[in-house]
Amino acid sequence: MSTLVKRTLSGAVYVAVIVGTILAPDSSLFGVVAAVMTALGIREFIHLTGKDKWLTIMSCVAGVSLVLSVWMIVYLVNEPHYYDPDGLSVSRHDWIPDWLMGLTLLVFVLSTFVTLIAELFRKEENPVMNWGRYWQALMMTALPFACMSVLCELNQYYLLCLFISIWVNDTGAYLVGMGTSHLPGGNHKMFVRVSPKKSWEGLIGGIVFNLAAGYVFYRVGWIDRLWLAMAFVLIVSVSGTLGDLMESLLKRSVGVKDSGRFMPGHGGVLDRFDSMLLATPVICLFLLIVVILSA
């Protein structure tokens, strides 16, 4: 099977899973996907920065428990009741008891303390580096997926707009970047040592494509205010590009092309979600500021 076919098939499955779980009647499906992606992403990160089975296991446990606990807190508080197919009101606490939420929080706290304290006994050459790898794995992987799961519960269309904005920005940046590369003198590169193909023209092209997408989001009612839609996609374009560059810097620092083999033809989880790793927390912070200022 050719690389193009593999990329197309795996990409189609990826989009179907993401869009399907986001638009599902209940955010629990996406919550599970976020937890799985967190574990796979953390595994890739620890592997890239130096193989360590103990640190991988503990980081995955902490990351997954963090994502699930944050999602459950929002899930149980946001809409305490939902309606079953018969139209009857059912309490979410019936199938996600409070003690389960408390247990996941406890697992996160205990795994963090155990991981940090364990460096006293492991006698590694650079224990402080392991502490840093642990926290960076959580901040770079668990935090973004936790934000995604929260956004899916609070407003699934915002999360859908976030993913579409990333895809539109990448497409626009690629098309404009490729087009301007053939001009006399070529285009202006952003960070040659990190990503030789990324250009300022591509960034502008991605923003222009995304502004058009933002208008569509407003017209279909996914984002109810035009200025909010425009600000939303602009922030996604900039922060998504920076997130992509950050992940590229990580790979170049350790001398690898892909972070893993999660998706045939696309690389690993960190490769597939690279732009989301920074864009998601930034968008959540932006929306929080909007809510506070609008109150």
Side-chain angles (χ1 to χ4, degrees):
M1 185 181 296
S2 66
T3 302
L4 178 60
V5 173
K6 289 181 180 179
R7 285 180 59 87
T8 302
L9 291 177
S10 60
V13 172
Y14 164 74
V15 171
V17 170
I18 293 298
V19 174
T21 53
I22 289 176
L23 295 180
D26 192 273
S27 67
S28 57
L29 286 177
F30 187 84
V32 172
V33 170
V36 173
M37 293 299 103
T38 296
L40 295 175
I42 288 179
R43 180 182 178 277
E44 288 179 3
F45 178 84
I46 299 298
H47 180 78
L48 288 174
T49 56
K51 296 180 180 180
D52 189 320
K53 187 175 181 179
W54 161 260
L55 194 61
T56 298
I57 293 174
M58 296 307 295
S59 299
C60 286
V61 170
V64 170
S65 60
L66 176 62
V67 170
L68 290 178
S69 59
V70 169
W71 170 74
M72 277 192 281
I73 290 173
V74 177
Y75 183 78
L76 294 175
V77 172
N78 184 42
E79 296 180 13
H81 295 81
Y82 67 96
Y83 293 93
D84 64 12
D86 297 325
L88 300 177
S89 178
V90 180
S91 173
R92 287 181 166 182
H93 293 263
D94 290 342
W95 75 279
I96 300 184
D98 292 335
W99 64 263
L100 183 58
M101 177 180 65
L103 178 62
T104 55
L105 277 173
L106 180 62
V107 170
F108 168 68
V109 173
L110 289 179
S111 59
T112 297
F113 279 120
V114 170
T115 303
L116 299 180
I117 295 173
E119 293 302 322
L120 295 171
F121 304 94
R122 297 180 67 208
K123 299 180 181 179
E124 294 288 320
E125 292 184 4
N126 197 336
V128 176
M129 179 67 73
N130 289 336
W131 286 343
R133 293 166 64 196
Y134 172 78
W135 286 114
Q136 189 173 358
L138 294 185
M139 293 300 101
M140 189 174 180
T141 308
L143 176 61
F145 280 108
C147 290
M148 288 182 217
S149 63
V150 168
L151 200 55
C152 186
E153 169 58 28
L154 295 178
N155 191 322
Q156 60 188 164
Y157 291 107
Y158 277 2
L159 181 59
L160 182 61
C161 288
L162 179 55
F163 272 99
I164 294 176
S165 295
I166 291 293
W167 299 335
V168 170
N169 181 73
D170 290 346
T171 302
Y174 174 78
L175 293 177
V176 175
M178 288 294 292
T180 56
S181 66
H182 298 295
L183 296 177
N187 49 28
H188 301 78
K189 303 302 182 182
M190 296 179 66
F191 297 94
V192 178
R193 69 182 182 88
V194 176
S195 184
K197 295 183 179 180
K198 278 194 173 6
S199 66
W200 292 104
E201 288 84 354
L203 173 63
I204 295 173
I207 291 175
V208 172
F209 272 62
N210 239 350
L211 289 175
Y215 182 73
V216 174
F217 297 156
Y218 167 70
R219 293 295 299 175
V220 299
W222 291 352
I223 300 180
D224 58 359
R225 285 162 284 182
L226 181 59
W227 73 265
L228 181 60
M230 295 296 104
F232 186 99
V233 296
L234 179 60
I235 291 174
V236 170
S237 289
V238 176
S239 59
T241 301
L242 290 173
D244 189 340
L245 289 168
M246 288 167 55
E247 200 261 347
S248 296
L249 179 60
L250 169 63
K251 291 188 294 185
R252 283 194 172 273
S253 299
V254 297
V256 299
K257 180 181 178 181
D258 297 322
S259 65
R261 300 179 180 178
F262 169 68
M263 287 182 61
H266 290 271
V269 170
L270 298 181
D271 294 318
R272 187 65 273 175
F273 289 90
D274 51 5
S275 299
M276 297 289 292
L277 300 181
L278 183 62
T280 307
V282 172
I283 277 294
C284 285
L285 178 60
F286 166 69
L287 294 175
L288 177 61
I289 293 174
V290 171
V291 170
I292 293 175
L293 295 179
S294 302

